[in-house]
Amino acid sequence: DYSAQLTDFAAKVGASPYWATAVGEYGIGPIQTNTPIVVPDGDKPAAKITDGDIQAWLTSMFDGTHPAFGTTPDPNTVYTLFYSPATVIFDSGGPSGSDAGAPTGGQSCQSFGGYHSDVQIQGQSVAYAVIPECKSFGALVGVDAVTGTTSHELAEAVTDPYPMSAPAYAPVDDNHVVWMSYLGGGEIGDLCAQFSDAFYMPTDLGYTVQRIWSNKNAKAGKDPCQPAPAGEVYFNAEPVMTDTFTGRGGVLTKGMIIPVTTSKTI
């Protein structure tokens, strides 16, 4: 439904000041968009698919019978797949029976607004992103829900292109591992997505995008979600955690151990 806007957005976002501020500190420069591919009717997906179905479909596009894709995947491309509202995407428990699964559980536009991953094609890891068209997701509606999700997934895909086979900027450090549970993940988009001011529309871009986590700003005591809102006066508070215990995934992490029926001042 938003093909014209998405084509325009994709052509602009990778060279925008927003992009440079959001991911520049991670060694990412401008990105460019290849010619968009409109998938013929015969290759379009079923009404209900899983991530495993998506991986199989993307792999099949390089079988030599789809000229728009070529015969070999480009290792420098994030294959960003936009799905219409006619297709619902499920995780590994979905009705299609695939066992690959998306990084988040459940159903598109309910449990997740998009995701990125990697798949082995012709002996190499290939990065891809999946963007369903949601009528709304969180506070975003219409095309804003699509461009906001796309900015999130592209920022994560270029800083963690192979989360399944060779993770990069993927998790938080051990002492803050609990935040991955509360924020839905530990990548640079996840860590800012839940804040009320996470999504905004830069005047020079004209599309809604998401602010992205900055390690540099967090260390300096500034707003870690960049670009920061204009005129913002940022402040925060941090509890001093004095106990060490085994947290998520068996990781030793900092926290407070408060036995049942007792209390402790933090």
mmCIF file of all heavy atoms in Angstrom, residues 42-69:
data_model
loop_
_atom_site.group_PDB
_atom_site.id
_atom_site.type_symbol
_atom_site.label_atom_id
_atom_site.label_comp_id
_atom_site.label_asym_id
_atom_site.label_seq_id
_atom_site.Cartn_x
_atom_site.Cartn_y
_atom_site.Cartn_z
ATOM 1 N N GLY A 42 3.261 -14.765 -9.184
ATOM 2 C CA GLY A 42 3.550 -16.190 -9.034
ATOM 3 C C GLY A 42 4.526 -16.504 -7.922
ATOM 4 O O GLY A 42 4.616 -17.653 -7.472
ATOM 5 N N ASP A 43 5.299 -15.494 -7.468
ATOM 6 C CA ASP A 43 6.287 -15.701 -6.416
ATOM 7 C C ASP A 43 5.866 -15.110 -5.082
ATOM 8 O O ASP A 43 6.636 -15.120 -4.125
ATOM 9 C CB ASP A 43 7.630 -15.079 -6.827
ATOM 10 C CG ASP A 43 8.298 -15.841 -7.958
ATOM 11 O OD1 ASP A 43 8.167 -17.073 -7.978
ATOM 12 O OD2 ASP A 43 8.924 -15.208 -8.815
ATOM 13 N N LYS A 44 4.649 -14.607 -5.008
ATOM 14 C CA LYS A 44 4.210 -13.981 -3.770
ATOM 15 C C LYS A 44 3.878 -15.027 -2.712
ATOM 16 O O LYS A 44 3.521 -16.164 -3.029
ATOM 17 C CB LYS A 44 3.021 -13.065 -4.043
ATOM 18 C CG LYS A 44 3.441 -11.796 -4.791
ATOM 19 C CD LYS A 44 2.283 -10.834 -4.999
ATOM 20 C CE LYS A 44 2.785 -9.560 -5.697
ATOM 21 N NZ LYS A 44 1.698 -8.598 -5.953
ATOM 22 N N PRO A 45 3.984 -14.641 -1.427
ATOM 23 C CA PRO A 45 3.839 -15.624 -0.346
ATOM 24 C C PRO A 45 2.394 -16.008 -0.069
ATOM 25 O O PRO A 45 1.451 -15.348 -0.535
ATOM 26 C CB PRO A 45 4.431 -14.884 0.855
ATOM 27 C CG PRO A 45 4.158 -13.447 0.557
ATOM 28 C CD PRO A 45 4.328 -13.312 -0.930
ATOM 29 N N ALA A 46 2.255 -17.059 0.703
ATOM 30 C CA ALA A 46 0.933 -17.489 1.148
ATOM 31 C C ALA A 46 0.400 -16.515 2.186
ATOM 32 O O ALA A 46 1.088 -15.596 2.622
ATOM 33 C CB ALA A 46 1.025 -18.895 1.731
ATOM 34 N N ALA A 47 -0.823 -16.740 2.608
ATOM 35 C CA ALA A 47 -1.453 -15.842 3.575
ATOM 36 C C ALA A 47 -0.836 -15.985 4.960
ATOM 37 O O ALA A 47 -0.839 -15.028 5.736
ATOM 38 C CB ALA A 47 -2.945 -16.110 3.638
ATOM 39 N N LYS A 48 -0.310 -17.175 5.285
ATOM 40 C CA LYS A 48 0.307 -17.413 6.580
ATOM 41 C C LYS A 48 1.648 -18.096 6.362
ATOM 42 O O LYS A 48 1.714 -19.167 5.758
ATOM 43 C CB LYS A 48 -0.596 -18.290 7.458
ATOM 44 C CG LYS A 48 -1.926 -17.628 7.804
ATOM 45 C CD LYS A 48 -2.791 -18.540 8.664
ATOM 46 C CE LYS A 48 -4.115 -17.861 9.012
ATOM 47 N NZ LYS A 48 -4.972 -18.726 9.851
ATOM 48 N N ILE A 49 2.721 -17.464 6.847
ATOM 49 C CA ILE A 49 4.064 -17.999 6.648
ATOM 50 C C ILE A 49 4.867 -17.862 7.937
ATOM 51 O O ILE A 49 4.483 -17.130 8.850
ATOM 52 C CB ILE A 49 4.812 -17.278 5.502
ATOM 53 C CG1 ILE A 49 4.920 -15.771 5.801
ATOM 54 C CG2 ILE A 49 4.116 -17.515 4.168
ATOM 55 C CD1 ILE A 49 5.765 -15.010 4.798
ATOM 56 N N THR A 50 5.989 -18.577 7.994
ATOM 57 C CA THR A 50 6.912 -18.469 9.121
ATOM 58 C C THR A 50 8.256 -17.980 8.607
ATOM 59 O O THR A 50 8.497 -17.871 7.392
ATOM 60 C CB THR A 50 7.116 -19.818 9.818
ATOM 61 O OG1 THR A 50 7.845 -20.677 8.941
ATOM 62 C CG2 THR A 50 5.791 -20.448 10.207
ATOM 63 N N ASP A 51 9.169 -17.730 9.541
ATOM 64 C CA ASP A 51 10.514 -17.301 9.153
ATOM 65 C C ASP A 51 11.208 -18.374 8.322
ATOM 66 O O ASP A 51 11.973 -18.062 7.406
ATOM 67 C CB ASP A 51 11.337 -16.977 10.402
ATOM 68 C CG ASP A 51 12.684 -16.370 10.054
ATOM 69 O OD1 ASP A 51 12.699 -15.313 9.405
ATOM 70 O OD2 ASP A 51 13.717 -16.962 10.436
ATOM 71 N N GLY A 52 10.943 -19.635 8.636
ATOM 72 C CA GLY A 52 11.520 -20.714 7.824
ATOM 73 C C GLY A 52 11.046 -20.654 6.384
ATOM 74 O O GLY A 52 11.817 -20.895 5.442
ATOM 75 N N ASP A 53 9.771 -20.330 6.181
ATOM 76 C CA ASP A 53 9.244 -20.170 4.825
ATOM 77 C C ASP A 53 9.934 -19.011 4.109
ATOM 78 O O ASP A 53 10.236 -19.080 2.920
ATOM 79 C CB ASP A 53 7.736 -19.911 4.873
ATOM 80 C CG ASP A 53 6.960 -21.058 5.509
ATOM 81 O OD1 ASP A 53 7.358 -22.217 5.314
ATOM 82 O OD2 ASP A 53 5.963 -20.774 6.203
ATOM 83 N N ILE A 54 10.168 -17.933 4.851
ATOM 84 C CA ILE A 54 10.827 -16.764 4.267
ATOM 85 C C ILE A 54 12.252 -17.113 3.852
ATOM 86 O O ILE A 54 12.705 -16.736 2.761
ATOM 87 C CB ILE A 54 10.810 -15.596 5.270
ATOM 88 C CG1 ILE A 54 9.373 -15.089 5.456
ATOM 89 C CG2 ILE A 54 11.713 -14.463 4.810
ATOM 90 C CD1 ILE A 54 9.209 -14.089 6.578
ATOM 91 N N GLN A 55 12.972 -17.844 4.689
ATOM 92 C CA GLN A 55 14.334 -18.240 4.340
ATOM 93 C C GLN A 55 14.352 -19.124 3.097
ATOM 94 O O GLN A 55 15.206 -18.958 2.212
ATOM 95 C CB GLN A 55 14.982 -18.960 5.519
ATOM 96 C CG GLN A 55 15.266 -18.061 6.699
ATOM 97 C CD GLN A 55 16.082 -18.755 7.767
ATOM 98 O OE1 GLN A 55 16.482 -19.920 7.626
ATOM 99 N NE2 GLN A 55 16.356 -18.046 8.854
ATOM 100 N N ALA A 56 13.414 -20.059 3.027
ATOM 101 C CA ALA A 56 13.344 -20.938 1.857
ATOM 102 C C ALA A 56 13.013 -20.142 0.601
ATOM 103 O O ALA A 56 13.575 -20.384 -0.479
ATOM 104 C CB ALA A 56 12.294 -22.026 2.090
ATOM 105 N N TRP A 57 12.100 -19.186 0.731
ATOM 106 C CA TRP A 57 11.727 -18.353 -0.417
ATOM 107 C C TRP A 57 12.910 -17.523 -0.886
ATOM 108 O O TRP A 57 13.205 -17.464 -2.086
ATOM 109 C CB TRP A 57 10.559 -17.440 -0.037
ATOM 110 C CG TRP A 57 10.150 -16.515 -1.140
ATOM 111 C CD1 TRP A 57 9.250 -16.764 -2.136
ATOM 112 C CD2 TRP A 57 10.644 -15.192 -1.379
ATOM 113 N NE1 TRP A 57 9.163 -15.677 -2.978
ATOM 114 C CE2 TRP A 57 10.005 -14.700 -2.529
ATOM 115 C CE3 TRP A 57 11.573 -14.388 -0.720
ATOM 116 C CZ2 TRP A 57 10.263 -13.431 -3.048
ATOM 117 C CZ3 TRP A 57 11.836 -13.130 -1.227
ATOM 118 C CH2 TRP A 57 11.180 -12.657 -2.380
ATOM 119 N N LEU A 58 13.612 -16.862 0.048
ATOM 120 C CA LEU A 58 14.749 -16.023 -0.341
ATOM 121 C C LEU A 58 15.837 -16.867 -1.003
ATOM 122 O O LEU A 58 16.433 -16.459 -2.008
ATOM 123 C CB LEU A 58 15.303 -15.298 0.887
ATOM 124 C CG LEU A 58 16.441 -14.310 0.621
ATOM 125 C CD1 LEU A 58 16.019 -13.225 -0.360
ATOM 126 C CD2 LEU A 58 16.918 -13.687 1.937
ATOM 127 N N THR A 59 16.080 -18.045 -0.468
ATOM 128 C CA THR A 59 17.068 -18.945 -1.078
ATOM 129 C C THR A 59 16.680 -19.298 -2.506
ATOM 130 O O THR A 59 17.526 -19.323 -3.416
ATOM 131 C CB THR A 59 17.196 -20.230 -0.239
ATOM 132 O OG1 THR A 59 17.609 -19.893 1.088
ATOM 133 C CG2 THR A 59 18.209 -21.190 -0.850
ATOM 134 N N SER A 60 15.394 -19.534 -2.735
ATOM 135 C CA SER A 60 14.922 -19.932 -4.075
ATOM 136 C C SER A 60 15.055 -18.819 -5.112
ATOM 137 O O SER A 60 15.071 -19.084 -6.306
ATOM 138 C CB SER A 60 13.462 -20.395 -4.000
ATOM 139 O OG SER A 60 12.583 -19.287 -3.803
ATOM 140 N N MET A 61 15.159 -17.575 -4.645
ATOM 141 C CA MET A 61 15.273 -16.457 -5.586
ATOM 142 C C MET A 61 16.609 -16.443 -6.320
ATOM 143 O O MET A 61 16.762 -15.753 -7.329
ATOM 144 C CB MET A 61 15.066 -15.123 -4.851
ATOM 145 C CG MET A 61 13.648 -14.892 -4.343
ATOM 146 S SD MET A 61 12.401 -14.789 -5.660
ATOM 147 C CE MET A 61 11.625 -16.428 -5.497
ATOM 148 N N PHE A 62 17.584 -17.194 -5.827
ATOM 149 C CA PHE A 62 18.911 -17.218 -6.451
ATOM 150 C C PHE A 62 19.145 -18.517 -7.219
ATOM 151 O O PHE A 62 20.286 -18.942 -7.408
ATOM 152 C CB PHE A 62 19.988 -17.025 -5.384
ATOM 153 C CG PHE A 62 19.876 -15.714 -4.656
ATOM 154 C CD1 PHE A 62 19.266 -15.655 -3.406
ATOM 155 C CD2 PHE A 62 20.335 -14.541 -5.224
ATOM 156 C CE1 PHE A 62 19.127 -14.455 -2.734
ATOM 157 C CE2 PHE A 62 20.198 -13.330 -4.563
ATOM 158 C CZ PHE A 62 19.595 -13.284 -3.320
ATOM 159 N N ASP A 63 18.059 -19.129 -7.704
ATOM 160 C CA ASP A 63 18.188 -20.394 -8.428
ATOM 161 C C ASP A 63 18.415 -20.198 -9.920
ATOM 162 O O ASP A 63 18.429 -21.165 -10.689
ATOM 163 C CB ASP A 63 16.958 -21.277 -8.190
ATOM 164 C CG ASP A 63 15.680 -20.644 -8.732
ATOM 165 O OD1 ASP A 63 15.737 -19.557 -9.344
ATOM 166 O OD2 ASP A 63 14.600 -21.240 -8.529
ATOM 167 N N GLY A 64 18.585 -18.963 -10.339
ATOM 168 C CA GLY A 64 18.854 -18.687 -11.750
ATOM 169 C C GLY A 64 17.636 -18.395 -12.581
ATOM 170 O O GLY A 64 17.762 -18.055 -13.759
ATOM 171 N N THR A 65 16.444 -18.518 -11.998
ATOM 172 C CA THR A 65 15.219 -18.266 -12.768
ATOM 173 C C THR A 65 14.546 -16.955 -12.368
ATOM 174 O O THR A 65 13.428 -16.681 -12.793
ATOM 175 C CB THR A 65 14.212 -19.423 -12.577
ATOM 176 O OG1 THR A 65 13.791 -19.469 -11.200
ATOM 177 C CG2 THR A 65 14.847 -20.755 -12.960
ATOM 178 N N HIS A 66 15.235 -16.148 -11.530
ATOM 179 C CA HIS A 66 14.693 -14.856 -11.096
ATOM 180 C C HIS A 66 15.732 -13.775 -11.380
ATOM 181 O O HIS A 66 16.538 -13.430 -10.509
ATOM 182 C CB HIS A 66 14.336 -14.895 -9.605
ATOM 183 C CG HIS A 66 13.362 -15.972 -9.262
ATOM 184 N ND1 HIS A 66 13.750 -17.260 -8.966
ATOM 185 C CD2 HIS A 66 12.005 -15.967 -9.177
ATOM 186 C CE1 HIS A 66 12.682 -17.991 -8.704
ATOM 187 N NE2 HIS A 66 11.612 -17.232 -8.827
ATOM 188 N N PRO A 67 15.757 -13.259 -12.600
ATOM 189 C CA PRO A 67 16.809 -12.334 -13.042
ATOM 190 C C PRO A 67 16.984 -11.113 -12.141
ATOM 191 O O PRO A 67 18.104 -10.608 -11.996
ATOM 192 C CB PRO A 67 16.345 -11.917 -14.446
ATOM 193 C CG PRO A 67 15.444 -13.015 -14.891
ATOM 194 C CD PRO A 67 14.763 -13.528 -13.668
ATOM 195 N N ALA A 68 15.927 -10.629 -11.539
ATOM 196 C CA ALA A 68 16.039 -9.428 -10.714
ATOM 197 C C ALA A 68 16.959 -9.654 -9.513
ATOM 198 O O ALA A 68 17.576 -8.711 -9.004
ATOM 199 C CB ALA A 68 14.657 -8.984 -10.240
ATOM 200 N N PHE A 69 17.056 -10.897 -9.043
ATOM 201 C CA PHE A 69 17.895 -11.212 -7.895
ATOM 202 C C PHE A 69 19.305 -11.639 -8.299
ATOM 203 O O PHE A 69 20.209 -11.621 -7.471
ATOM 204 C CB PHE A 69 17.258 -12.339 -7.067
ATOM 205 C CG PHE A 69 16.109 -11.888 -6.211
ATOM 206 C CD1 PHE A 69 14.833 -11.788 -6.739
ATOM 207 C CD2 PHE A 69 16.288 -11.568 -4.875
ATOM 208 C CE1 PHE A 69 13.767 -11.378 -5.957
ATOM 209 C CE2 PHE A 69 15.236 -11.153 -4.085
ATOM 210 C CZ PHE A 69 13.960 -11.053 -4.625
#
